[in-house]
Amino acid sequence: MTVYDRSARERACGLFDRGLGHKAAAARLGVPAKAVRKWQQRYRAVGRDALLGMGTHRRYDYGTKVAAASAVVDGGMPKPEAMERFGIASESPLRSWCRLYREGGAEALRPRPKGRPRKEAAPATREEELEREVRRLEAEVAYLKQSIALKAELRSRTGRRP
């Protein structure tokens, strides 16, 4: 996949402003028509700034996802029109939302927690609780012994009580 720089997309915006279609703009820019068609869709959907800022990922809320997918799947709205109406910058997320919506309805578009699910910790048994308490008390005793040893060492160095 070839990535075109910002200046090519800026020139494309100028051509779109003058009313040229994606094929004519592609011919003038020397860029494949398929790429320029996607640029034009983005330009129409969310404007010049979105086209020039390509490469950044936008996030859409649950309501927008459901409304757009429902309009395309249930309402028969063309994807470019839905992109324009709902301010969706790219066709690929809309396609995946439509697929998910067909498979599982609106519930399939709900946000899911990221990362690995947390392991459910079984409630500690009485024996495990006692072992934990013994380890805590052993650590406390070790701390106190070390504190007493440090005080004794300080006393022996200085010859007086701290």
Side-chain angles (χ1 to χ4, degrees):
M1 179 174 105
T2 306
V3 178
Y4 297 96
D5 63 352
R6 183 183 173 101
S7 65
R9 293 191 308 270
E10 283 176 352
R11 291 192 314 268
C13 285
L15 296 173
F16 298 151
D17 286 339
R18 286 191 260 153
L20 269 72
H22 72 275
K23 288 180 184 176
R28 289 211 182 157
L29 296 170
V31 176
K34 186 175 181 179
V36 179
R37 185 180 74 230
K38 287 184 179 183
W39 292 352
Q40 188 177 38
Q41 286 176 342
R42 180 173 282 206
Y43 179 78
R44 286 180 177 164
V46 287
R48 178 185 197 96
D49 293 337
L51 176 60
L52 297 178
M54 280 177 65
T56 59
H57 295 284
R58 292 188 55 194
R59 295 193 185 272
Y60 302 94
D61 64 344
Y62 171 72
T64 302
K65 292 177 184 181
V66 171
S70 173
V72 171
V73 174
D74 297 335
M77 182 183 290
K79 287 179 183 149
E81 187 180 328
M83 289 172 59
E84 215 171 307
R85 182 170 177 199
F86 297 103
I88 301 166
S90 177
E91 188 177 344
S92 62
L94 181 59
R95 258 185 303 188
S96 69
W97 300 340
C98 290
R99 179 182 47 79
L100 290 169
Y101 186 79
R102 281 187 201 99
E103 292 171 0
E107 197 58 34
L109 295 173
R110 281 217 182 273
R112 303 241 177 338
K114 303 282 188 230
R116 182 178 285 185
R118 290 182 177 233
K119 184 178 177 182
E120 292 291 324
T125 64
R126 176 75 177 142
E127 184 178 324
E128 291 170 339
E129 288 177 14
L130 291 174
E131 285 175 1
R132 192 176 315 127
E133 180 67 11
V134 166
R135 283 193 300 270
R136 188 189 68 76
L137 290 171
E138 286 173 343
E140 188 176 323
V141 167
Y143 172 79
L144 292 172
K145 282 183 179 179
Q146 190 167 5
S147 175
I148 291 169
L150 286 172
K151 283 183 181 179
E153 184 181 332
L154 183 62
R155 197 177 310 134
S156 67
R157 283 187 186 170
T158 60
R160 56 182 189 178
R161 293 183 69 116

